[in-house]
Amino acid sequence: MKQILRKHGGIIIALTVLLLWAGSISLLMRFDFTFANPLVYVFALIQMHLYTGLFITAHDAMHGTVAPHHPKLNNFIGGVCTFFYALFPFQKLNKAHHQHHRFVHTQQDPDYYEGSFLTWYFHFIKRYLSWWQVILMAIIYNVLKIYIPEKNLLLFWVLPSLLSTLQLFYFGTYLPHKGEHQNIHQSTTQSKNHMWAFLSCYFFGYHYEHHEHPGMPWWQLWQTKELKKNNG
């Protein structure tokens, strides 16, 4: 089992995230609920976290860690994740993300912006979201609501995906890169707490560690925190 995980772990984890997201959203689209049921909001948060998982899986594909020995499969899985996340073209995100790593915290960094949280967030969304994506998603929404109750679409598709952008931005871009930093990666890192690190953003609060080891997949990123602590 360890050998299989060592050789195909990236693919197995990626497919697990994809299947959990697909299974969850399929069940929730058929969920007959009332807004008075508190579990509804728990399910919406779980769906948000799974949406974030889609993007983090695509991010791993950008670093070639989903299927390291099969680049075409690696990029295909990454493209599937970005498509289901919000119709993003994988190659465009891939190019921008490597530019972020190469020119972090400079004018050439597509993820960096000098401004408040809200202005930076809207700049971030504007940088990556195109009008054709908005139009296509609006068309898909209006087709789906013929077959699916609109309240289900809003609470388990629209809201989780929007909240996921905030989760990714806040924990994966804003907190790590805001302000000035006295290190080569221009990044901070959150305090060691593996459970919170996973729940907040799939360990990407350990952001200095990610820039230091960009080839480390998200599900192993916590180990870099352990190594850093043990090495002083």
Side-chain angles (χ1 to χ4, degrees):
M1 186 64 182
K2 284 184 179 179
Q3 241 180 350
I4 293 172
L5 279 173
R6 194 176 297 116
K7 190 174 182 182
H8 304 294
I11 297 172
I12 292 168
I13 297 294
L15 293 180
T16 299
V17 172
L18 268 165
L19 289 172
L20 284 172
W21 173 83
S24 174
I25 201 166
S26 297
L27 290 171
L28 291 171
M29 289 302 102
R30 299 196 298 268
F31 180 34
D32 185 15
F33 68 90
T34 66
F35 288 101
N37 184 351
L39 280 177
V40 165
Y41 306 99
V42 175
F43 294 152
L45 288 174
I46 291 171
Q47 193 62 21
M48 174 197 75
H49 195 63
L50 290 172
Y51 261 104
T52 298
L54 282 184
F55 196 90
I56 294 296
T57 301
H59 168 273
D60 271 11
M62 293 171 203
H63 287 287
T65 61
V66 170
H69 306 297
H70 305 281
K72 288 184 179 178
L73 177 60
N74 178 85
N75 292 350
F76 174 75
I77 293 173
V80 169
C81 289
T82 56
F83 176 83
F84 282 121
Y85 186 80
L87 306 180
F88 284 113
F90 176 75
Q91 291 303 334
K92 179 183 175 183
L93 292 183
N94 189 24
K95 182 180 177 181
H97 185 65
H98 284 283
Q99 192 175 342
H100 162 66
H101 274 266
R102 196 175 302 117
F103 303 109
V104 63
H105 211 269
T106 69
Q107 294 290 330
Q108 294 168 284
D109 181 355
D111 292 356
Y112 182 68
Y113 184 77
E114 290 186 6
S116 66
F117 171 79
L118 284 177
T119 57
W120 190 346
Y121 172 71
F122 285 117
H123 175 83
F124 185 79
I125 294 298
K126 184 182 174 184
R127 171 69 179 76
Y128 288 106
L129 192 65
S130 61
W131 282 110
W132 69 262
Q133 285 172 268
V134 175
I135 292 167
L136 274 177
M137 285 189 288
I139 292 170
I140 292 169
Y141 176 85
N142 280 284
V143 171
L144 288 176
K145 75 178 186 179
I146 299 170
Y147 308 99
I148 298 169
E150 196 165 8
K151 65 179 184 177
N152 293 62
L153 285 171
L154 288 170
L155 198 58
F156 301 127
W157 181 40
V158 176
L159 182 63
S161 61
L162 290 175
L163 289 176
S164 172
T165 67
L166 280 167
Q167 184 181 7
L168 285 161
F169 173 73
Y170 184 73
F171 292 104
T173 297
Y174 179 74
L175 277 185
H177 292 300
K178 72 182 177 113
E180 297 298 324
H181 312 281
Q182 302 303 313
N183 61 68
I184 191 172
H185 302 303
Q186 290 294 309
S187 308
T188 58
T189 184
Q190 77 180 55
S191 300
K192 178 186 166 185
N193 184 323
H194 297 328
M195 180 60 73
W196 173 240
F198 169 70
L199 291 174
S200 60
C201 199
Y202 292 76
F203 301 115
F204 271 83
Y206 299 157
H207 208 76
Y208 178 90
E209 290 80 3
H210 166 59
H211 278 265
E212 186 74 4
H213 305 279
M216 182 74 72
W218 73 262
W219 45 279
Q220 292 180 332
L221 194 54
W222 64 273
Q223 295 175 15
T224 65
K225 196 70 172 179
E226 295 289 339
L227 286 170
K228 186 177 178 182
K229 181 184 177 185
N230 292 337
N231 293 334

